Amino acid sequence: MGLEGRDTAGQPRTALPPTPNGSGPSLEFGDHWPEIPERSPCVAGIIPVIYYSVLLGLGLPVNLLTTVALARLTARTRKPSYCYLLALTASDIVTQVVIVFVGFLLQGAVLARQVPQAVVRMANILEFAANHASVWMAVLLTVDRYSALCHPLHHRAASSPGRTRRAIVTVLSAALLTGIPFYWWLDMWRDTDPPSTLDKVLKWAHCLIVYFIPCGVFLVTNSAIIRRLRKRCQSGPHPRVGKSTAILLGVTTLFALLWAPRIFVMLFHMYVVPVHRDWRVHLAMDVANMAAMLNTVVNFGLYCFVSKTFRATARQVIHDAHLPCMPGSRPEGMVVEPVQKPLGVPKGAEL
């Protein structure tokens, strides 16, 4: 995310109100960047700070619960789809911590951007790496479901826990490597000069890596999956859509919808009017960033809606977490010591 939007939280409230010069595109677009002295005001005010605080306060515990539930399902079933969902959730947690907490809240709202430039650039690497990992874990899940439905024999022969782990490690390593060039990412909120060639390359690379290429993969594989399901529907009386397939279609659809505004506004900023010159583009970028970050917390609701097994596992995790804290669950002052169970005690008779 490049910590964009942090100026929204940390920007001084001395911005001028919208003026005719700063509220709409100039007629002089042949000069690419119109000469407008005023800086667009932050019309969203404190709303992004409240939004990201709620998003982090609710989303982080929810993702931790999702991680524990998926870890139990992975250990119980050893299905590759659960492994990919677990890695996807872990990537979402890192995204929330690095982008939402460190970027938007800590650096933007608390420190008001009084941070050394080298620290900001190193944070950019972590942000983009976490973002790339989260997106491409969904791509791995898509390819796995495509292989399972369209090439079942090959999937059964090639699928193994070791192969799944290697695929996850490869994606995480590639995400970290592709995040390194974004050390030179320029802050869109302070771009007063026309974008350089490097700036354009990085922004297009961001759009391709996190949206256009993954969405292309989603479109091709999901279309093949849907065609295969329709063939089954025509040949069988009671076609059944697997839970993993339903989750896949939901995850990819939500991603495409929630990330589309950010990509559109970024290209609009680069080729039409910059964020810092037009308050409407400024507001659109704020809203687009908030929608993109919402993608890190909505998957829990999707899993609960689709999978009864996941709901039961999540409920059991909550029950196990609250059980030691229940009053009266252990007599006061009682110390539990490990003892050897005597032979012949029926199963379930011991405490």
Side-chain angles (χ1 to χ4, degrees):
M1 301 293 292
L3 300 180
E4 295 159 3
R6 295 172 303 187
D7 258 7
T8 300
Q11 180 178 339
R13 305 303 300 160
T14 58
L16 297 175
T19 64
N21 286 337
S23 60
S26 170
L27 298 177
E28 303 172 354
F29 279 132
D31 197 15
H32 190 83
W33 294 77
E35 294 295 332
I36 303 174
E38 291 82 3
R39 181 184 178 89
S40 66
C42 174
V43 297
I46 200 173
I47 292 178
V49 177
I50 298 174
Y51 174 85
Y52 290 122
S53 300
V54 173
L55 187 73
L56 188 66
L58 296 179
L60 193 57
V62 164
N63 277 338
L64 291 175
L65 171 61
T66 305
T67 301
V68 177
L70 289 174
R72 291 188 179 186
L73 290 173
T74 301
R76 185 189 310 165
T77 64
R78 296 185 178 276
K79 289 184 177 180
S81 57
Y82 284 132
C83 292
Y84 295 137
L85 290 175
L86 178 60
L88 172 62
T89 306
S91 300
D92 286 341
I93 292 175
V94 176
T95 300
Q96 287 179 325
V97 172
V98 175
I99 296 180
V100 178
F101 176 69
V102 176
F104 286 116
L105 295 178
L106 182 60
Q107 183 178 341
V110 178
L111 300 179
R113 296 187 63 86
Q114 301 300 318
V115 181
Q117 189 67 17
V119 176
V120 173
R121 292 184 179 274
M122 291 301 298
N124 285 346
I125 296 177
L126 297 178
E127 291 177 355
F128 282 100
N131 196 203
H132 297 171
S134 178
V135 173
W136 283 87
M137 284 302 168
V139 174
L140 269 184
L141 175 64
T142 305
V143 174
D144 176 76
R145 287 296 86 204
Y146 168 79
S147 176
L149 287 171
C150 300
H151 307 282
L153 296 179
H154 178 268
H155 182 266
R156 292 193 190 100
S159 179
S160 68
R163 184 173 180 270
T164 302
R165 286 192 293 268
R166 287 193 297 272
I168 292 174
V169 171
T170 300
V171 168
L172 293 177
S173 302
L176 183 59
L177 290 176
T178 55
I180 293 176
F182 292 92
Y183 177 89
W184 293 276
W185 178 268
L186 296 180
D187 191 349
M188 291 173 59
W189 306 97
R190 297 188 174 186
D191 255 347
T192 56
D193 298 324
S196 63
T197 301
L198 176 61
D199 189 30
K200 288 184 177 180
V201 168
L202 289 177
K203 284 182 169 59
W204 269 109
H206 175 64
C207 294
L208 289 171
I209 292 173
V210 304
Y211 194 77
F212 290 123
I213 295 177
C215 283
V217 176
F218 296 154
L219 179 62
V220 173
T221 54
N222 288 349
S223 299
I225 290 172
I226 292 173
R227 284 197 300 269
R228 177 56 61 95
L229 293 175
R230 285 181 176 176
K231 289 182 180 179
R232 290 184 181 181
C233 179
Q234 295 173 357
S235 60
H238 298 290
R240 180 175 175 271
V241 179
K243 295 175 183 178
S244 298
T245 304
I247 288 176
L248 166 67
L249 296 176
V251 167
T252 54
T253 302
L254 287 173
F255 167 79
L257 293 176
L258 292 175
W259 268 84
R262 172 176 165 82
I263 301 301
F264 174 78
V265 175
M266 181 175 297
L267 296 178
F268 192 86
H269 157 85
M270 197 161 44
Y271 291 106
V272 181
V273 59
V275 167
H276 74 285
R277 294 301 193 200
D278 192 318
W279 67 270
R280 291 171 297 187
V281 184
H282 192 144
L283 178 62
M285 180 56 78
D286 284 334
V287 175
N289 284 338
M290 290 189 284
M293 287 296 98
L294 183 62
N295 187 65
T296 62
V297 299
V298 296
N299 289 340
F300 174 80
L302 176 65
Y303 302 158
C304 289
F305 178 76
V306 172
S307 175
K308 183 179 179 181
T309 303
F310 179 83
R311 288 198 304 270
T313 305
R315 191 181 302 114
Q316 185 62 40
V317 171
I318 296 174
H319 178 268
D320 294 345
H322 283 282
L323 188 60
C325 302
M326 293 175 59
S329 59
R330 180 180 300 174
E332 185 178 355
M334 176 180 178
V335 179
V336 178
E337 298 179 356
V339 294
Q340 183 177 1
K341 184 176 70 173
L343 297 176
V345 178
K347 183 179 178 181
E350 68 278 2
L351 296 177

